[in-house]
Amino acid sequence: MFGRLTIDSLPFYSAVAASGAAVTVLGGLAVAGAITYFGAWRMVMTQWVSSVDHKKIGIMYIMLALVMLLRGFVDAAMMRSQQAIAYNSEGYLPPDHFDQIFSSHGTIMIFFMAMPFLSGLANLIVPQQIGSRDVAFPFMNSVSLWLTTAGAGLMLISLVVGKFSTAGWTAYPPYSGVEYTPGVGVDYWLWMVFIAGFGTTMTGINFLVTIIKNRAPGMTMFRLPLFTWTILITSVLIIFAFPALTVACAMLILDRNFGFHFFTNAMGGNMMNYINLFWLWGHPEVYILILPAFGVFSEVVSTFSQKRLFGYISLVLATCAIGLLSFTVWLHHFFTMGSSAKVNSFFGTMTTIISVPTGVKVFDWLLTMYRGRIIFKPPMLFTIGFLVTFVIGGLSGVLLALPPIDYLMHNTTFLVAHFHNMIIPGVLFGYLAGYMYWFPKAFGFKLNEKWGTRAFWCWIVGFYVAFMPLYVLGMLGMPRRMEHYDIAAWQPHLIVAGIGAFIILLGMICLAVQLVVSIRERNQALDLSGDPWNGRSLEWATSSPAAPYNFAVLPKVESRDAWWDMKQRGVAYERPAEYEDIVMPKNTYAGLVIGVAGGVFGFAAIWWMWWLALLSLAVIAAAIIYRASDDDDEFVMTASEVKAIEDERFAQLAKAPKNEMADEPGFAGEPAPEPAE
Amino acid sequence: MSSVARMTISPRDAERYEEKDFGFWLYLMSDAVIFACLFATYLVMVGNTAGGPTPKDVFELDRAAAETALLLLSSTTFGVAAVALSAGDRGKVLLWLAVTFLLGAGFIFLEIGEFTGMIAQGAGPDRSGFLSAFFTLVGTHGFHVSVGLVWIVVMFAQVFFKGLTAPVASRFMRLGLFWHFLDIIWVVIFSVVYLPGVL
C-alpha cells in the first residue's frame, strides 16, 4: 500500500533535519493560514490557480522562484557556516546531511529558482513586448506552470519525508546508481527534474510559437526588443536541449528501479554516456539561464541611459551565435575523464570561442552607457554590478577552458568560484534587475528604491567577499564539497567566505523588506501612466497592471523601440474611435489537475506506490482527453466591456503626474487630450 | 491543412490552427531529439553484451519484417482516412481510422510478443547494457505507438459524436503528423537496430 514509505522516513533522526522539516511544514501552514485569514481562498482558486492569463502565470512563477531562492540560500548559508568552523572539527552537520545540502542547493537554484524566474519574466513581458494579447497556447502555459510547481513541491516534500540525494545536482553515476546510493534521495532528484523538465519543454514550444506567430503588425524580427530575442533563442535551446536531460533521467530511473544497465559498473553499463547526455543538456542550460538575463540587461541599460541600444544587430547576432555555440562545448565539463587530447583541444577551443560573442555584448552595453544620461535606479545598479563582476568570471572561465589548467583546477573550489561568478551576476542579478524593472508593470506600483539600492550593495559586496576566497582556496588545492578538513591555511579564507554569505543574507533581508515596505507604501509609488521609467518597448504602452487582453487595439509598429518612437511622433496614448470584441481563453482547472496529479505521480514513483502512480497517470490522461475534446474554451469580451476598462485607463492617465524621467527633449509622454465625442 | 481550409472557418481560427500545427511540429522536433539520444545510446552500447546474447541471437527478422509491414500499412490507411476527411466523408473516416487502429494494435501485439519472448529466454533488459538500450529504444517507440492508439480512439469518438468540425479536423491533422512521424522513427529503428543485428 505505501511501498517503501515507512514511519522511519520522517526526519526525527536529527535535530537539524527535523527543524528543516518543521520550517517547511510551518511555512506551508502559514501560507494556508494567511489565505484563510484574508478570506482569499475563493479569489485564489477562481482568479489565480485556474488562470490562463500569461501575466498571472508569470507572477506565480516569480513567487515560486523567490520562495525557492530563499530555500536555496538557506542551504548555501548552512554550507558556508559549516565549512567556516569545520577545521579539525565535525562542525554541526554530519557528512550525510552536508551532502544532501549541497545537492539540494544546486538543484533548487538551477531548476526551481532560476528556471521559474526565467519563465516568469518571459510570461509577464514577452507578449506585451511584441504587441500580442496572449501567448500562443494559454492552457499549455498553465500546465507548464503547474508541472514546474509539482517538481518544486517534491523538492519541499523531500525535506519532510525521506532524505534528499547526496549525489550533487548532477547525479553522476555510478555513485547515483542503486548500488552505491540506495534509498529515495536520488529518486527524488530524478523524478522532480523529469516532471519539471516536461513543463519547461512546453514553455519553450509555447514561446517560440508566440514570438514567431503572434507579433503585432509591423513588428519585424529586427524590431523585436532584445529581451524577446533572448527568449526566442532560449526557447530554441530548451526545445533541443531538454530532451537530452529527459533521456538521461529516464535511463537512470530505469537503472535504479528496474535493474537496467545503462550506467552501472558491470554488465555492460557505460557511465560516461550519462555524463555526455547530461551536459548535452547542461551546457545549453547555462545559456538558457543567462541569455534572458542578457535580455534584461539590454532593456535596462538603454532605458536608464536614456539612449537607443548600441549595436542592436550585433547583440542579436551574438545571441544567435551563443545559442549555436552552446551545443558545441559540453565536453569541457569533463576534460579530465580520459578523452583524447584532440577531443579536449576541440572543446577547449570552442569554449574559448564562445567568449567572443559574449564580449561583443559587454562592449555593446558599455557603449550604450557611453554619453548616455545614466539614471542610477536599482535595476541599473544591478546591471553595472553585473558588467564589472561578470568580466572577472569570464576571465576565470577562459582559464578553465584550457584543458591543462582544468586538470589542475578540476573539482576544486576554483570551479565553484567561477560558476558562481557567472551565475550570480549573470543570471541572478539579471533576474533581480528584471524583477525590479517590471514590478510596476505587474502590480501598478514601484518597488522602494532605497531598499532596492541597499539590497544591491549587500549582494555585490557579499558576492565578492563570499567567492573571491574560493578562487584562492581552489589554487591552494581545496576540493569542493568538503564537509570538514585538517589544513589550517584554508580556514581563514573559509571564515571570510562565511562572512560573505552573511552579507548576502543582509541582501536577502533587504529584498524582503523592500517588498513589504513597497506594498505598505504603494499609494506613494503608484504607476498611473503605465510607463514609470520612460520606457522604449511596447510593454510600457499598456496600463499597469495590463488589462486581461493587454492591448485593446493592437499597436502598429513602425520602428525599433516602438513605444519610444510612438512617443516621439506624438501618437502614444491615442484613443481609438471605437473598440471591438476580443476573444479570450476561459480559465480552467485542468492545468492545476495535471500538475497536482504529476506531483502525486512523482511521489508515488519515488516511494514505489505503483497503484497510486497508475491512478495519477489515469487522472492526467483523463484531464488531457477531456481538455482535447472541449471546443468551448474561449469567451468573448464585448466591445462595451473593453470600452469600460479603457475609459478607466484614460481617466487614470489624466491623473498621472508628468514622468520624472521624461527630461529627454521631445518626450511625448503626456496623455493625449480626450477626443471629441 | 487544405481540408480544414475548405471548411468555413474564420481567419482567426485558421490562424489558431496554424499556430497549433507549428507548435506540434516543434514538439515532434524535440521528440526527435529524444530518439536521437536513444539511438546514439544504442549504438554506443550495442557491443556491451556482458557475455549475454548478441543481436544475432535475439532478433528475428521475420517478426521485425511483419511489424514493419503492419506499421507502414497503418500509415497508408491513415492517409486514406485523411483523404476521406478532405472529401467530407465521415463514414469512411471512421472506417479507415478503425483499420489504422487495428493495424497499429497488431504492431503492438507483435512487439509485446517479441519482448516477452526475449525476457523468457533470459534476454531481458536487465541482462546487459546492450539489451537495456534495445528495450528502451524500441520500447519508447512502442510507447509512442500506444499513445497514438489511445489518440486514435479519442479521435474516433470525436469524429463520431462531433462530426467533421473544424477543430476536430485540425486535431486529426496533428494525429496524422504524429502517426507518420512514428513510421519514420520505425524505419530508422529497422535499419539501425534490426538489419545490422541480423546481417
Side-chain angles (χ1 to χ4, degrees), chain B residues 74-181:
Chain B
S74 81
S75 227
T76 314
T77 56
F78 194 96
V80 179
V83 172
L85 184 100
S86 297
D89 189 337
R90 183 168 157 189
K92 271 196 180 148
V93 173
L94 290 174
L95 172 70
W96 288 108
L97 266 183
V99 174
T100 308
F101 177 87
L102 289 177
L103 291 168
F107 170 85
I108 290 293
F109 179 77
L110 281 184
E111 190 161 80
I112 290 174
E114 180 187 4
F115 282 7
T116 49
M118 283 172 70
I119 293 169
Q121 290 172 42
D126 50 353
R127 177 62 191 81
S128 69
F130 150 63
L131 285 163
S132 299
F134 167 80
F135 274 91
T136 307
L137 169 60
V138 180
T140 303
H141 176 268
F143 171 73
H144 276 72
V145 174
S146 311
V147 171
L149 289 176
V150 175
W151 193 354
I152 290 178
V153 172
V154 174
M155 203 70 243
F156 189 92
Q158 289 195 6
V159 173
F160 188 81
F161 289 110
K162 297 184 177 203
L164 303 176
T165 62
V168 170
S170 157
R171 285 170 203 143
F172 183 94
M173 285 308 176
R174 286 192 292 281
L175 171 58
L177 289 179
F178 185 69
W179 199 251
H180 299 312
F181 169 77

Side-chain angles (χ1 to χ4, degrees), chain A residues 136-137 205 208-209 213-214 239-240 243 247 251 254 259-262 267-268 270 273 277 583 628-629 631 634, chain B residues 12 16 18-19 23 26-27 30 33-34 38 41 44-45 48 50 125-129 132-133 136 158 162 167 171:
Chain A
F137 310 118
I205 293 174
L208 187 50
V209 177
K213 294 277 186 188
N214 286 2
I239 293 169
F240 288 103
V247 168
M251 286 175 177
L254 290 171
F260 284 43
H261 292 288
F262 282 108
M267 305 297 278
N270 180 347
N273 198 29
L277 285 170
V583 186
S629 307
D631 294 332
E634 293 183 325
Chain B
R12 182 178 179 279
R16 302 290 293 175
E18 206 187 302
E19 280 171 16
L26 292 176
Y27 152 71
S30 105
V33 179
I34 287 192
L38 291 174
T41 304
V44 167
M45 304 193 83
N48 300 5
D126 50 353
R127 177 62 191 81
S128 69
S132 299
T136 307
Q158 289 195 6
K162 297 184 177 203
R171 285 170 203 143

